[in-house]
Every structure is written in structure tokens, then in C-alpha cells.
Amino acid sequence: MTALDPTEMTPIVNRIKRAQGQLAGVLRMLEAGRDCEDVVTQLAAASRALDRAGFAIVASGLRQCIVEGDGPDSIDTKKMEKLFLSLA
């Protein structure tokens, strides 16, 4: 897989920063003894944000492999499968 293009990563970095803020919120909620439902809701939102960021990174890498490589046949499908499954 090729290196990620930093200019394409800006929205993904923003999503991860948002998830980081959500996780900090979860910690504060736990330390304050907040309601279980509120904590789990916030934690689920952070988890979804991280999942979406991961899939966006893999999709960007796949797109770069197709564009910069020798087309679809040059993609290591086993490696791509492993990346997708690591997010599942």
C-alpha cells in the first residue's frame, strides 16, 4: 500500500480529533458518575467516528493504489482484506 496523501487526510484527522474530544468527554462523565445511558451513548459515538475514519483511510489507500499502481491487478487483495477485517 502506498503512503497516504496528507491533503486527503484533513477530514479524517478532523474526525479523529472529534472522537478524541468525545473520549475525553466519556472520561469526564465516568469520573463525575454520570448516567450509564449517557456514557454509553457518548462512547458509541466515538466508536462510530473511529470506525468511519478507519474505513476512509483504507478507501483512500485503495484509491491511491489503483491510481498510482498498475491498476486493480496490482492491489494486494489479501492485505486489503486484512485491513478491512481489522476494522470489523
Side-chain angles (χ1 to χ4, degrees), residues 11-81:
I12 296 168
V13 168
N14 291 339
R15 184 180 301 277
I16 292 172
K17 286 180 180 179
R18 194 167 34 253
Q20 186 177 31
Q22 290 169 322
L23 286 174
V26 168
L27 288 173
R28 285 190 302 274
M29 293 169 78
L30 289 170
E31 291 169 346
R34 294 278 300 272
D35 181 67
C36 173
E37 185 177 349
D38 294 340
V39 173
V40 171
T41 299
Q42 189 71 13
L43 190 59
S47 178
R48 282 190 305 273
L50 291 173
D51 287 344
R52 290 183 64 163
F55 284 119
I57 290 168
V58 172
S60 177
L62 179 59
R63 183 174 47 255
Q64 282 182 254
C65 285
I66 292 171
V67 171
E68 295 174 8
D70 295 327
D73 293 334
S74 67
I75 296 171
D76 183 344
T77 55
K78 289 290 184 190
K79 186 181 241 183
M80 294 306 296
E81 180 181 357

